[in-house]
Amino acid sequence: MMIIRKTAAELERMRRSGLLVHEILRKLAEMAVEGTSTLELETAACQMMADAGAKPAFKGYFVQAAGERYRYALCTSINDEIIHGIPSPKRLLKKGDILKIDTGVELNGYYGDSAVTVAIGEVGEETRRLMRVTQESLEMAIDKVRAGNRLFDVCGTVERHVVANGFSIVREFVGHGIGTKLHEDPQVPNYVDRRNENPRLKEGMVLAIEPMVNAGGPDSQVLGDKWTAVTKDGSRSAHFEHCVAVTENGPWVLTRP
Ligand code: MF3
Ligand code: CO
């Protein structure tokens, strides 16, 4: 395993990628209302990336498990879909749905990657709690991204908060280092995986932390489209993601202002 540390100048470039991803997700979240198709979101995202001179990080990205390249700029996953939902003109958002939007860009050689879960109209109490706990677990993990802490401090913080609230953690998909590639070392599971190394965090490291949390059981399966991962029990899933740099002043969330 090799964790690539970034210089201050590199972090400034990653900051630009991060802020672009933030701006795109903000606009997409506004567009995500009843009747919008997930392909409309995709089209808008591609336009915004092109306007900014950025490349969609996911489009053309080879994923081993799928055995092929992904063809879109966004993953749009609804309700029991955990991640890698494929944008489609046939998927119209409905009141009461939750939509996960996950996207990344490459700008001047550096990547940014972030995800949000948005509610379409009113959603039930348990769904709101699922979204809140998932977001909280990310915020608590972000606070652990400090020089001298270890990777397991980040992973374990997500795990403890989710489990304490009676939800479950998806184990098949994990966060990651990020920089001049979308996925760099280390893997960042949302649980402590004792089979992995537990490196100390150092200035210049950047982690993409992305809790995927199910209301029911942890098990997932991939649909016949080879991409869409859903919960096995049909329960809902939430996902939030930020890129976070280790700096001398503590955690720096690159993917929000
Ligand atoms: N969801 C992944 C991440 O946030 C990236 C998806 S890769 C793709 O790291 F090819 F499926 F888009
Ligand atoms: Co990611």
Side-chain angles (χ1 to χ4, degrees):
M1 184 183 52
M2 212 214 7
I3 304 177
I4 301 165
R5 296 167 65 185
K6 282 80 185 175
T7 64
E10 288 179 297
L11 290 184
E12 288 298 337
R13 293 208 223 169
M14 292 193 70
R15 175 61 165 165
R16 289 195 54 210
S17 307
L19 287 180
L20 176 60
V21 170
H22 167 81
E23 201 50 30
I24 290 167
L25 283 179
R26 197 181 60 75
K27 288 182 182 148
L28 295 177
E30 270 176 23
M31 287 178 65
V33 296
E34 185 183 30
T36 302
S37 78
T38 53
L39 189 70
E40 287 173 65
L41 300 177
E42 165 73 17
T43 305
C46 288
Q47 187 62 55
M48 288 185 266
M49 290 178 196
D51 290 347
K55 217 187 84 185
F58 294 1
K59 199 183 271 194
Y61 193 82
F62 184 82
V63 171
Q64 191 64 252
E68 63 184 27
R69 292 179 188 280
Y70 193 66
R71 295 189 190 81
Y72 300 86
L74 301 182
C75 296
T76 50
S77 312
I78 299 171
N79 298 338
D80 62 319
E81 297 168 354
I82 301 166
I83 50 160
H84 299 166
I86 298 174
S88 161
K90 293 186 218 150
R91 295 304 296 279
L92 306 183
L93 299 173
K94 301 191 304 291
K95 280 187 185 149
D97 284 346
I98 55 170
L99 169 71
K100 281 75 68 174
I101 314 171
D102 186 357
T103 194
V105 302
E106 185 242 291
L107 184 63
N108 301 315
Y110 289 83
Y111 283 83
D113 182 9
S114 184
V116 291
T117 303
V118 295
I120 313 304
E122 297 266 299
V123 298
E125 168 69 32
E126 186 69 350
T127 298
R128 287 206 305 276
R129 195 173 71 91
L130 174 69
M131 292 172 64
R132 177 174 54 76
V133 167
T134 307
Q135 195 158 20
E136 284 169 356
S137 74
L138 173 57
E139 293 303 327
M140 293 162 81
I142 287 170
D143 191 58
K144 303 292 178 184
V145 180
R146 297 175 183 277
N149 281 356
R150 287 184 182 273
L151 184 62
F152 286 1
D153 296 324
V154 175
C155 307
T157 295
V158 175
E159 181 174 33
R160 272 191 305 277
H161 190 63
V162 169
V163 170
N165 282 279
F167 296 132
S168 55
I169 289 157
V170 175
R171 301 179 79 87
E172 291 84 0
F173 303 95
V174 299
H176 49 92
I178 182 168
T180 57
K181 291 194 294 178
L182 176 62
H183 292 155
E184 294 183 355
D185 283 342
Q187 291 203 114
V188 186
N190 297 298
Y191 56 95
V192 173
D193 189 339
R194 302 237 169 248
R195 298 168 301 181
N196 290 356
E197 287 174 57
N198 184 18
R200 218 176 260 290
L201 301 181
K202 297 186 174 143
E203 269 175 43
M205 292 181 175
V206 184
L207 303 178
I209 308 172
E210 47 180 320
M212 285 153 263
V213 176
N214 299 346
D219 293 349
S220 66
Q221 63 191 33
V222 175
L223 298 183
D225 63 16
K226 296 196 271 196
W227 289 95
T228 314
V230 299
T231 60
K232 258 195 183 155
D233 61 10
S235 68
R236 288 185 163 198
S237 189
H239 180 204
F240 290 88
E241 177 178 19
H242 276 303
C243 295
V244 189
V246 182
T247 79
E248 61 181 353
N249 303 314
W252 183 16
V253 182
L254 300 174
T255 42
R256 71 177 169 212

